[in-house]
Structure formats: structure tokens, C-alpha cells
Amino acid sequence: MSERTLVLVKPDGVSRGLVGEVISRIERKGLTLAALELRSVERAVAEQHYAEHDGKPFFESLLEFITSGKVAAIVAEGENAIAAFRQLAGGTHPVEKATPGTIRGDFGLEVQYNLVHGSDSPESAEREIKIWFPAL
Ligand code: DAT
Ligand code: MG
């Protein structure tokens, strides 16, 4: 079923010049871009986006990190877009969980600096797209 997913290239990916690499992998997979914006992240937006992690030990550093520089916010669209991008991204920890060939497995070392975010379910995708692209 065609669906939409919210992708973020996090501040580490933007500062390392990996926005093009991520977009290229999304496009080569066969997904299309429905929205694309380079933007700074207000604290309130970060809190909303990561609300499910409120209270966890890494929550505060996650918010500091995601608001530390610009992110590329992307809506990607296509058959199974949510699972397809999670597959491209690889597991959360770039070394322990992600395999080579994935974005995190190819470019990351540490769990906080894992380069990209991708929605994990249709409910998350709908909620997150509303946060980042309310007009979409
Ligand atoms: P994902 O981004 O793969 O959906 P998640 O939703 O569990 O992973 O966590 C959101 C982000 O929080 C993750 O991309 C990096 C950070 N994070 C997760 N677990 C962490 C941990 N144990 N220590 C530090 N940061 C963590
Ligand atoms: Mg997640």
C-alpha cells in the first residue's frame, strides 16, 4: 500500500554533508519525495517529535543534539515507505544493530549520532508528518 513516512537527516548528517547521500538512497529505492526542507529545530518541535522517549535517560541529550543544528526534513512516499526507509536506515545503533549497506551501518559509530530518523509505524508517520509539515 502506498504510504508516507517522515525522514529526518539529523544535524550530524547535515554537517557531514550526507543529505545528498540519504536523498539519493531514498530515490534509488524507488520512493518519491513529497516534501523536503532544511530547517532549524525549535525545542518544542523536538519535544513533540520525541515525546515517546520523555523520561528516558537519553531524552535530554537527544533533544540537545537534535536542536544543535539544521536538519533536513523529508516526506518520502511509495509502497511500504515506512518499512522501506527503516530498512535503508538500519538498526538504531550504527555498529551493534545496523549492518553495512545501510545508512547507519555505512556512516555511523555512536547511537546518538545515527544520522537519520524514520517513522516506525503508520500512526507515528501520521503524527510526525503533522508536526513537521502541518500543511501537507
Ligand atoms: P530509532 O531512531 O531507530 O527509531 P528510537 O526511537 O528507539 O530509535 O530512539 C530515538 C533516538 O534516540 C535514536 O535514533 C538515538 C537515540 N537513542 C536511542 N537509544 C539510545 C540510547 N540507549 N542512548 C542514547 N541515545 C539513544
Ligand atoms: Mg524511533
Side-chain angles (χ1 to χ4, degrees):
M1 198 183 65
S2 185
E3 55 189 16
R4 287 174 165 184
T5 188
L6 189 277
V7 172
L8 299 176
V9 184
K10 300 181 187 181
D12 56 336
V14 173
S15 66
R16 290 176 57 196
L18 293 170
V19 175
E21 175 72 34
V22 172
I23 290 174
S24 175
R25 288 179 184 223
I26 290 170
E27 292 181 325
R28 282 150 62 203
K29 182 69 174 171
L31 299 172
T32 56
L33 303 181
L36 169 61
E37 188 186 9
L38 190 68
R39 55 183 278 181
S40 9
V41 186
E42 285 165 18
R43 167 102 188 177
V45 169
E47 280 175 356
Q48 261 186 288
H49 176 78
Y50 280 127
E52 68 174 297
H53 299 299
D54 194 354
K56 294 184 186 170
F58 58 85
F59 185 60
E60 195 51 44
S61 62
L62 180 60
L63 292 189
E64 266 174 43
F65 166 59
I66 205 76
T67 57
S68 68
K70 288 194 173 175
V71 306
I74 297 163
V75 177
E77 192 168 38
E79 290 291 312
N80 300 308
I82 295 163
F85 183 76
R86 296 282 291 188
Q87 181 188 59
L88 291 180
T92 304
H93 193 299
V95 176
E96 291 170 14
K97 298 288 183 199
T99 52
T102 63
I103 295 165
R104 289 163 168 174
D106 284 349
F107 301 113
L109 289 172
E110 295 177 68
V111 65
Q112 179 164 273
Y113 307 109
N114 66 0
L115 300 151
V116 288
H117 166 85
S119 307
D120 64 7
S121 68
E123 295 71 32
S124 303
E126 194 186 339
R127 190 184 73 81
E128 293 169 3
I129 289 169
K130 274 202 194 107
I131 295 170
W132 293 90
F133 296 100
L136 209 63

